[in-house]
Amino acid sequence: MGKTVNSRSQAAALAAPDVSPGEGLAAGPADRIAPGPVDKAMEVLSALVATGAPHRLAELSRRTGLAKPTVHRLLRSLAAAGFAEAAEGGSYRPGPRLLGLAAAVLAEEPVLRHVRPVLGELHARTGLFASYAVRDREWLVHVEVSAPGAGLALGPRPGERERLTAGAAGLLVRALSEAPTGNEEAEAPAEDAEALAGAARTGWTLDPADAGAARRALAVPVHGPDGALAGVLVLSGPLFTFDDTAAGMYAPLALSAARGIEAGLASEAPPHLGLVGAGGEER
């Protein structure tokens, strides 16, 4: 059986997971240099697409760590270019040009053409949220989600990010990735060593049944044609329906689904939507 995320720090992160697309310019080691205008604009765009749009200026300032006048100036420039759009009460939401670019990229991405039908079938068989996530430095980004049409919103949304230290998917990536996060030793306590070793051995991981967490997730790896880790397939749902027995039944389904994605990837050129290492380079 896959290893659970069993340290106190992992459980605390799951109780209040950090899944916001924009969380400030000091979020990771790649951001320690002084940010330039493009960096700041990208931070504002990332915060703009966070769950709950439209967003007010004060919220965008808090998420990015930028001063309100700076955020307002960048929003005006982004709106003039069509990447942002003013909404009611002085708030802003993603603009039509940004939405169009995102739709075009997702429609043409060969990896997602193989991922979508597999996630749809996996969701239909389990009733859970089925998502595909890739790594962006010390984060995981859910780039495709197959979700229930109604009910509790206890799964990720497309574009949501979570830290590699936040749960099962992050643990799996840290266990199987060749490149470290850059601050992994500082973030991963000694008691995580057994869980990391177990994830590398069994090939799947499971969040703990923590009463403080609303949802639980199970993660399995997806490998590219070259054998390197290309992404993570994640099943998530309400904690009260996701006990260890259920997880034991879901794991073989998730592993089989991951093999289906891998078969599709083998027919393509090396995927360009893949894991990004700590230094920012794609592997």
Side-chain angles (χ1 to χ4, degrees), residues 66-254:
L66 297 171
K68 288 183 183 180
T70 301
V71 174
H72 187 248
R73 174 175 53 80
L74 290 170
L75 284 170
R76 291 180 61 183
S77 298
L78 291 169
F83 292 108
E85 187 174 68
E88 62 277 1
S91 58
Y92 284 82
R93 58 181 170 230
R97 190 174 180 189
L98 179 61
L99 297 174
L101 287 175
V105 170
L106 292 176
E108 294 299 321
E109 171 53 50
V111 172
L112 297 185
R113 289 204 302 269
H114 298 291
V115 166
R116 289 188 187 103
V118 172
L119 293 185
E121 180 180 357
L122 187 59
H123 159 62
R125 296 182 68 181
T126 64
L128 300 171
F129 287 81
S131 62
Y132 183 76
V134 297
R135 179 178 173 182
D136 178 13
R137 301 171 179 84
E138 74 271 26
W139 299 87
L140 275 177
V141 183
H142 294 266
V143 294
E144 187 71 23
V145 180
S146 184
L152 297 174
L154 292 177
R157 293 173 178 262
E160 280 194 356
R161 301 199 305 176
E162 59 181 284
R163 289 193 179 275
L164 291 183
T165 52
L171 177 71
L172 187 68
V173 170
R174 291 190 290 120
L176 301 182
S177 294
E178 296 177 3
T181 63
N183 54 355
E184 184 172 314
E185 290 185 2
E187 292 184 348
E191 59 262 36
D192 285 348
E194 182 183 352
L196 288 168
R201 182 175 62 253
T202 63
W204 61 280
T205 51
L206 178 66
D207 289 341
D210 192 314
R215 75 188 190 198
R216 197 178 195 190
L218 180 152
V220 301
V222 175
H223 297 280
D226 59 355
L229 190 62
V232 182
L233 190 155
V234 183
L235 274 177
S236 55
L239 180 64
F240 62 84
T241 65
F242 211 146
D243 59 18
D244 289 352
T245 300
M249 295 186 293
Y250 294 145
L253 297 176

Side-chain angles (χ1 to χ4, degrees), residues 21-22 24-25 35-49 60 64 66 70-79 81 83-84 98:
L25 291 165
V38 174
D39 302 305
K40 295 176 181 178
M42 291 302 100
E43 283 291 327
V44 172
L45 277 179
S46 295
L48 200 62
V49 300
L60 294 173
T64 60
L66 297 171
T70 301
V71 174
H72 187 248
R73 174 175 53 80
L74 290 170
L75 284 170
R76 291 180 61 183
S77 298
L78 291 169
F83 292 108
L98 179 61

